[in-house]
Amino acid sequence: MRLMVAERRDEADGVISLVLEAPGGGALPAWTPGAHIDLHLEDGLIRQYSLCSDPGDRGRWRLGILREPRSRGGSKQVFDKLHPGDLVEVSGPRNHFELRPAARYVFIAGGIGITPILPMITHAERAGTPWTLLYGGRSRCSMAFTGELTRYGDRVTLVPQDEFGLPDLARPLGKAAEGTHVYACGPEPLLNAVTAQMHDWPPGSLHTERFTPRAASGPDEPFQVEFVASGFTATVPPDRSILAVAEDAGVAVDWSCREGTCGSCETAVLGGRAEHRDSLLSGPEREAQDCLMICVSRAEHGCPLLRLDL
């Protein structure tokens, strides 16, 4: 789709919001809380940003975007070149952080991780489902959208690190609660701490979204991939991905981020076992061994052959 930037606002230090609309008006595709879209920028750059507007508003999509100090060009382009009236190519939406029905929600956000949480709160409010939010950031002035969160009173706890230190996760997560689902989005140290705090919670209680890829563990090894639908087998060397090998062979594949954070290249596993290196699949989804992200994931150590539906 080709959408127009209708609004641009400063939301915090280093954070802006963009509101996108169809150039001639009209409804945009429906989406659910947790969804993201791809922005197709100059020089072939594609970047994923969470939708943080009201899912019930089909006329506009809002994005919250952090200017990354170590940007590889994506956020710099957005900040420097996208202004009201400009057009931008967009694809999606897709959702790998789906809000599931629950008796109660605990939302935990760090920094720009607040963006997918905002529509989840809107949904929970409309459904009458109890919820709380713990929202941390480096400083109060770096934390976006705090103004619109004030309407929720003491259900929202703001924890600027320069005032209060790190968030106290024991308060919302200290006691396992049947029927409560926890949704957390933010930097890796926060997500690791949340995971550790919830070690005795019922399986499936925690749902996370990462904005950066997981670190690989151990050296890479060559392995074979049978591209079942295409009818051939190829070797994936240690320094290449399944996606790259598929492209070299002329296999039509979808991709966007190439770092396991968007889900565009999700592919069905028909045989063998994968070593999952993406930042999307949950523990049970990894154990199911029925799909993988071919941009980063590989064959499990000791598995010489993966059979994929490609």
Side-chain angles (χ1 to χ4, degrees), residues 229-247:
S230 300
F232 73 96
T233 299
T235 297
V236 179
D239 61 343
R240 308 210 71 206
S241 67
I242 301 172
L243 173 60
V245 170
E247 288 180 316

Side-chain angles (χ1 to χ4, degrees), residues 120-134:
M120 294 184 178
I121 290 173
T122 299
H123 179 87
E125 277 289 285
R126 287 188 178 142
T129 306
W131 61 271
T132 60
L133 167 66
L134 179 63

